[in-house]
Amino acid sequence: MTDLLAGIEDRLRGLFRTKGRPIIGTCSATAFMEMAIRSGVRHRVLSLVSGAFGKRFAAIAQACGRDVVTLEVAPGQTIEPHMLRDALTRSEVDAVTLVHSETSTGALAPLEQLAEVVHEYDDVMLLVDAVTSLAGSPVETDEWKLDFVLTGAQKALALPPGLALAAHSERMLERATTLPERGGYLDLVAYADAAENHQPTNTPAISFLYALDVQLRRIEAEGGVEARWQRHREMLQATEKWVDDRGSALGLSYFPAKDRRSWTVSCIRVPGGRNGREIQHTLSDRGWMIASGYGEFKKSTIRIGHMGDHTVDELLDLLVQLEEIVA
Ligand SMILES: *Cc1c(COP(=O)(O)O)cnc(C)c1O
């Protein structure tokens, strides 16, 4: 166990771009959203909401008994630095929650710039859901001074579901030690102590750890996390080009604005009168899987998850099918 976890830790540092010790839980990513709140928020948190997962972070904070102030923009849009500065000036909070890549809308928040704004304020923890950005687009935990960065196994890491991973700053751990009600099972301090000795906190689902070890070695073989980012950037660019060159004539358009699009998931509006669910089902009959829109956008958008181990070539094959179906 010690050997396995030590090997994984080294490679996870590269993935999270941190000198710290990443932690691993054999639970889903949402569990670490709860850890972020319980071990990171003293009294009041500012939750940035631009879709379903931002809402979830806020709801968890509320369920953990914290005061929650939300800063919300319409789905598909992103919260920009000046909006965050304005919100932080108006309400005194001790933490901010933020979803980097909002999987429900395909929008990518300008994380580096938002982090700079948070750091203009004293002692405000920045808690980041990087579930569909980490391993698929740049997330610089140390350089951007992110206090808690969490992800899961089944998105850009292309692993079976069942793992939550996170990196944390020193000051996050210091904050945690001052909070009396961190809970028992999802206590960051306990996780950090165990990681110190390359031990799990409780009995982990060991098979998932073997899977993680294999996938981290494969990422290394691909050329490291930067090569993986690049492949994802190319998949986004290929999809954007297809929408520009072919899709727009058929009435397809991107939901988020240019430069605010996730590198891992493209959320695209379908033409008026068409149903994203039906397009999804027809593609599925042909052996291709995309997602319909999320929640209220189930019918009006589709989402292409060009993340994980997919390639540009596979994506182009999918887009040919999609074009036929929409036309
Ligand atoms: C999938 C997802 C989650 C939740 O992950 P689970 O592993 O299902 O708990 C949280 N945030 C984002 C942005 C996601 O895409």
Side-chain angles (χ1 to χ4, degrees):
M1 198 69 217
T2 310
D3 289 349
L4 177 63
L5 286 174
I8 288 173
E9 178 190 273
D10 247 8
R11 295 188 172 90
L12 276 184
R13 282 194 171 121
L15 200 67
F16 279 92
R17 316 277 275 192
T18 181
K19 292 197 174 70
R21 291 183 192 282
I23 57 169
I24 308 167
T26 50
C27 42
S28 97
T30 306
F32 274 15
M33 294 169 90
E34 185 154 323
M35 175 191 282
I37 301 295
R38 299 191 72 128
S39 290
V41 183
R42 204 179 288 132
H43 301 296
R44 184 186 290 155
V45 60
L46 174 67
S47 286
L48 309 189
V49 177
S50 62
F53 291 105
K55 255 190 201 132
R56 179 182 296 190
F57 224 161
I60 291 170
Q62 195 123 43
C64 291
R66 306 308 199 268
D67 281 346
V68 181
V69 183
T70 54
L71 172 58
E72 188 161 359
V73 290
Q77 305 196 341
T78 48
I79 284 153
E80 296 299 316
H82 70 275
M83 303 177 198
L84 175 59
R85 186 176 293 112
D86 186 50
L88 285 171
T89 307
R90 278 185 285 112
S91 24
E92 200 168 311
V93 298
D94 56 73
V96 172
T97 64
L98 181 166
V99 176
H100 188 197
S101 163
E102 178 50 79
T103 322
S104 65
T105 66
L108 186 71
L111 177 56
E112 182 180 5
Q113 292 90 320
L114 293 171
E116 278 169 16
V117 173
V118 171
H119 295 130
E120 291 168 11
Y121 296 79
D122 232 14
D123 205 26
V124 177
M125 294 296 137
L126 177 54
L127 315 172
V128 181
D129 170 339
V131 175
T132 49
S133 58
L134 198 112
S137 61
V139 177
E140 298 281 1
T141 302
D142 285 1
E143 196 186 319
W144 299 347
K145 298 194 178 75
L146 311 175
D147 291 296
F148 193 81
V149 180
L150 72 101
T151 192
Q154 76 276 22
K155 305 283 173 73
L157 278 168
L159 279 164
L163 283 173
L165 308 163
H168 61 85
S169 65
E170 276 303 314
R171 68 174 197 154
M172 174 78 180
L173 193 58
E174 283 160 22
R175 162 74 64 91
T177 58
T178 67
L179 302 178
E181 294 179 357
R182 301 190 298 274
Y185 195 72
L186 290 172
D187 174 12
L188 173 62
V189 179
Y191 269 83
D193 283 349
E196 193 75 35
N197 302 311
H198 300 128
Q199 287 295 310
T201 44
N202 296 88
T203 318
I206 298 172
S207 47
F208 290 122
L209 298 176
Y210 279 113
L212 175 62
D213 189 43
V214 169
Q215 183 66 327
L216 291 172
R217 287 169 197 271
R218 290 176 64 197
I219 292 171
E220 215 166 64
E222 184 182 355
V225 72
E226 289 177 14
R228 198 175 179 83
W229 294 343
Q230 181 58 26
R231 177 165 52 78
H232 282 83
R233 189 214 280 271
E234 285 164 13
M235 287 195 285
L236 169 64
Q237 287 170 341
T239 312
E240 287 182 319
K241 185 169 175 359
W242 176 81
V243 169
D244 281 349
D245 293 353
R246 322 279 304 180
S248 56
L250 300 170
L252 294 159
S253 61
Y254 258 93
F255 197 32
K258 188 139 183 80
D259 295 326
R260 289 291 180 268
R261 292 171 188 161
S262 172
W263 295 17
T264 60
V265 55
S266 281
C267 185
I268 297 170
R269 289 191 205 89
V270 301
R274 297 297 298 272
N275 180 341
R277 286 284 278 179
E278 278 164 21
I279 294 171
Q280 179 203 11
H281 287 145
T282 313
L283 263 175
S284 164
D285 290 342
R286 296 187 183 193
W288 293 90
M289 189 176 291
I290 62 164
S292 63
Y294 196 100
E296 61 181 303
F297 303 101
K298 197 172 268 299
K299 289 183 179 166
S300 57
T301 64
I302 51 173
R303 291 176 302 152
I304 303 172
H306 39 73
M307 71 175 87
D309 292 339
H310 291 307
T311 62
V312 173
D313 286 346
E314 290 166 340
L315 179 64
L316 293 177
D317 287 346
L318 163 77
L319 293 174
V320 168
Q321 300 290 324
L322 181 57
E323 185 174 338
E324 262 182 41
I325 290 166
V326 176

